[in-house]
Amino acid sequence: MSHDGPPPHGAAPPPAALHGLHGLHGLAAGDAGRPERADWTVPQHWQDYTAAEHATWAHLWQRQHAGLQGRACSAWLRALDALPIDDRAIPDFDRLNAVLQPRCGWQVVAVPGLVPDAVFFGHLAARRFPVGRFIRDAQHLDYLQEPDVFHDLYGHVPLLLDPQIGDFIQAYGQGGLRAQALGMLPLLARVYWYTVEFGLLREAGGLRIWGAGILSSATESRYCLDDATPQRLAFDLLRVMRTRHRIDDLQACYFVLDDLGQLMALAEQDFEPLYRAAHALPTIEPDQHLAEDRRLTREGRPMDGDTGPAGRAPADGADPAPAPALSPATRRPDRRPARRR
Ligand SMILES: C[C@H](O)[C@H](O)[C@H]1CNc2nc(N)[nH]c(=O)c2N1
Ligand SMILES: N[C@@H](Cc1ccccc1)C(=O)O
Ligand SMILES: [Fe+2]
């Protein structure tokens, strides 16, 4: 099943999220979640986190951390060491901002969960990154419809220290307001999804992860690089705008940047004509293959013309010879949401 309509983090969550599986946060909380402040920020009230909540943070960190060596992009690995974020406790946002703001001009602000698109864009445009105050509960460590403090702080925030990513996300905030005015937000949301949330990057050692939705997911951080199932395509803006994304399962398709410098070129490009072009062309399903796609091997090399064991694509354009997949135990038995943050 693939979903598109809802932008990243699903403004319209699937039924499971509405039926109390995760507790109600942000938009899912309906009227009860109506904000006191117009910008939807809330006090973090760090002292109010329970020992169990800090333990959940520590557990998520430890589960994730060793596995990301050699998988996460070098910018993320470096930045994590530079920030007062560790496995001991949920970070205190004030302490974090004291380091973050002088280094890169970004700060984090606490929000109850998802906030309306325009509010989200307004924060990003002002270099404020909204971070969910809550942490997922221990019964739902893998499945989470809304961005919580682990996804946001562990996945996104370190990358704000990278000047190219930081500037790209700020420009996305400005572009979001523009896309809304043009009625093209669903197309821009795909760009965010396939970059900031689920992007891959070519580095000297091979493909690496830079998307925060992958960095905070135990399953997807392995699957996206190692599993033979998903496509890994060289980034192509029009192709991305046309490609639906999944909000409730592992992605079927990842887009790979050659280097983070590509982001600034994207931010500076006028999207309006592309929105119109993408809008006029058929939508592409996440698992669909196109003849013109530039597919990459798991080492980050072009598939066509690659004579190595990863193989060239067969002439008929069908799947390349299957490589070993994850063991059955680590594969998802079904399509139920159990995914990414
Ligand atoms: C398209 C846009 O990026 C998306 O819908 C927004 C909406 N609200 C959000 N609110 C929070 N807290 N975090 C998010 O990532 C988003 N994403
Ligand atoms: N350049 C885009 C805005 C944008 C910036 C950064 C990321 C994505 C989009 C526009 O013209 O609307
Ligand atoms: Fe996110």
Side-chain angles (χ1 to χ4, degrees):
M1 173 160 69
S2 80
H3 285 264
D4 195 42
H9 306 309
L18 292 174
H19 292 134
L21 256 184
H22 322 291
L24 296 173
H25 305 285
L27 292 188
D31 284 352
R34 228 169 246 159
E36 268 164 39
R37 302 180 191 159
D39 70 357
W40 284 69
T41 60
V42 295
Q44 186 191 16
H45 285 317
W46 186 83
Q47 315 79 333
D48 292 352
Y49 287 118
T50 64
E53 288 174 320
H54 288 302
T56 297
W57 170 277
H59 173 80
L60 289 167
W61 180 292
Q62 283 149 14
R63 182 174 74 164
Q64 202 57 359
H65 213 62
L68 286 179
Q69 310 302 318
R71 292 172 189 277
C73 68
S74 57
W76 183 88
L77 289 167
R78 256 185 284 118
L80 199 65
D81 290 337
L83 292 174
I85 305 184
D86 58 41
D87 65 348
R88 282 175 297 186
I90 297 171
D92 178 330
F93 293 1
D94 290 336
R95 280 193 55 222
L96 183 55
N97 282 335
V99 176
L100 206 54
Q101 203 160 16
R103 286 205 44 168
C104 64
W106 276 91
Q107 51 179 313
V108 298
V109 290
V111 291
L114 284 168
V115 300
D117 294 330
V119 173
F120 185 66
F121 298 140
H123 281 301
L124 298 184
R127 289 177 96 87
R128 286 189 301 267
F129 198 88
V131 172
R133 187 209 168 267
F134 74 100
I135 191 155
R136 62 198 78 183
D137 59 59
Q139 285 76 50
H140 303 103
L141 291 179
D142 301 310
Y143 170 25
L144 172 74
Q145 188 63 34
E146 287 191 75
D148 72 342
V149 66
F150 184 75
H151 166 75
D152 283 330
L153 278 193
Y154 186 84
H156 285 291
V157 168
L159 290 168
L160 298 174
L161 283 183
D162 179 90
Q164 295 172 123
I165 296 176
D167 289 353
F168 178 76
I169 294 177
Q170 178 183 17
Y172 172 78
Q174 293 154 346
L177 297 169
R178 184 174 183 226
Q180 272 191 316
L182 295 169
M184 294 293 182
L185 188 51
L187 301 190
L188 180 63
R190 290 172 183 160
V191 178
Y192 191 77
W193 193 263
Y194 284 119
T195 56
V196 174
E197 294 292 353
F198 290 94
L200 299 181
L201 175 67
R202 282 171 70 181
E203 288 192 350
L207 295 185
R208 293 290 182 272
I209 301 161
W210 77 278
I214 310 177
L215 291 168
S216 63
S217 163
T219 313
E220 194 138 13
S221 52
R222 293 172 191 289
Y223 171 90
C224 72
L225 296 181
D226 296 352
D227 199 276
T229 314
Q231 315 193 68
R232 299 165 188 89
L233 304 178
F235 189 88
D236 175 318
L237 183 53
L238 188 62
R239 172 56 157 103
V240 168
M241 282 185 182
R242 294 176 56 200
T243 307
R244 273 191 235 279
H245 58 267
R246 293 175 170 174
I247 64 161
D248 62 351
D249 198 0
L250 300 168
Q251 303 302 307
C253 181
Y254 300 94
F255 289 90
V256 183
L257 295 178
D258 285 327
D259 63 82
L260 293 174
Q262 268 177 285
L263 293 176
M264 265 0 268
L266 277 182
E268 283 161 14
Q269 194 169 339
D270 180 2
F271 279 25
E272 194 177 346
L274 281 160
Y275 288 145
R276 278 204 232 92
H279 197 69
L281 289 164
T283 299
I284 303 166
E285 295 303 324
D287 58 359
Q288 206 175 321
H289 294 194
L290 303 186
E292 63 268 30
D293 282 341
R294 286 175 296 140
R295 305 174 66 189
L296 301 177
T297 67
R298 283 176 279 166
E299 295 73 41
R301 289 192 296 269
M303 264 197 192
D304 299 320
D306 185 331
T307 50
R312 56 173 76 221
D316 65 358
D319 282 334
L326 293 179
S327 72
T330 58
R331 296 209 59 153
R332 215 174 287 316
D334 58 35
R335 283 289 173 90
R336 279 190 306 105
R339 43 165 305 272
R340 55 204 152 140
R341 302 183 175 101

